[in-house]
Amino acid sequence: MSLSKKTESTRTKNALLTDLLKQANQLVDEFERLLSSELDLLKNGQIEGLEAIAEAKHELMDQIGAREGQLIKLFEDTTVNSKVKHLKERLKKCRADNKDNHALVMLELKHSKKSLELLRSVLNMDDLSLYSENGEVEVNREKRKLGSA
């Protein structure tokens, strides 16, 4: 292979690498934005918006997955440059942030389930035992109505 062909091949490879890094960084930018929005929604208890965020994250992961082979080659390259290292660090932070957000979602889900269990148990108290004026146990077959005295 001639020197000019090698130089041209190297330029093409560098251009592809630069383009791939640019695309990957744009995807990571968007993923970081989504994680931040998700955290804000979780902190403010606005769970209604979480479904849209989850869908956007899945779409973004599909886009990243479409470049998986190229990214693996890029990350395995022994001549790693600082831009690739920075991208790896950002991806690690995204993974950690995503795990943290997931833990918050699971905690919120646990609290919601506990609240539902409490409501169900209160609403199903058909045989609530009460003591009468004489100290005898009476069974009250009425359901309690929440929000009323």
Side-chain angles (χ1 to χ4, degrees):
M1 185 184 273
S2 70
L3 184 59
S4 64
K5 285 189 178 187
K6 274 188 174 183
T7 305
E8 186 177 320
S9 175
T10 302
R11 284 185 195 154
T12 303
K13 184 179 176 182
N14 287 340
L16 290 173
L17 174 69
T18 301
D19 189 47
L20 179 61
L21 277 171
K22 182 180 176 183
Q23 290 174 17
N25 276 302
Q26 288 172 343
L27 292 171
V28 172
D29 287 343
E30 181 63 16
F31 202 71
E32 287 172 336
R33 188 191 66 73
L34 287 172
L35 288 170
S36 177
S37 296
E38 183 178 54
L39 183 59
D40 288 343
L41 289 174
L42 289 167
K43 284 180 178 179
N44 296 316
Q46 298 173 331
I47 59 172
E48 311 84 42
L50 291 177
E51 186 175 350
I53 297 273
E55 288 175 13
K57 284 171 47 179
H58 285 291
E59 289 175 17
L60 206 53
M61 291 309 298
D62 288 344
Q63 291 177 33
I64 292 171
R67 294 166 177 81
E68 183 177 18
Q70 296 171 314
L71 290 170
I72 288 172
K73 283 182 182 178
L74 179 67
F75 292 154
E76 289 177 344
D77 190 359
T78 55
T79 60
V80 175
N81 65 36
S82 62
K83 291 179 182 178
V84 174
K85 280 185 178 180
H86 182 66
L87 179 61
K88 282 183 180 181
E89 290 168 8
R90 290 180 67 204
L91 286 169
K92 284 180 186 177
K93 183 171 180 344
C94 282
R95 181 185 304 145
D97 290 349
N98 197 42
K99 281 184 178 184
D100 291 345
N101 286 0
H102 177 74
L104 288 173
V105 168
M106 296 312 294
L107 184 62
E108 183 69 31
L109 183 61
K110 181 180 175 182
H111 289 164
S112 295
K113 283 181 179 180
K114 291 282 186 188
S115 297
L116 283 172
E117 287 173 15
L118 176 65
L119 286 172
R120 285 182 182 135
S121 70
V122 168
L123 293 174
N124 291 327
M125 294 182 90
D126 292 337
D127 295 331
L128 180 62
S129 298
L130 301 174
Y131 289 98
S132 69
E133 296 172 1
N134 300 330
E136 297 174 6
V137 176
E138 289 182 352
V139 176
N140 182 355
R141 297 215 180 263
E142 294 177 12
K143 288 188 177 181
R144 294 165 71 181
K145 296 187 181 192
L146 294 178
S148 63

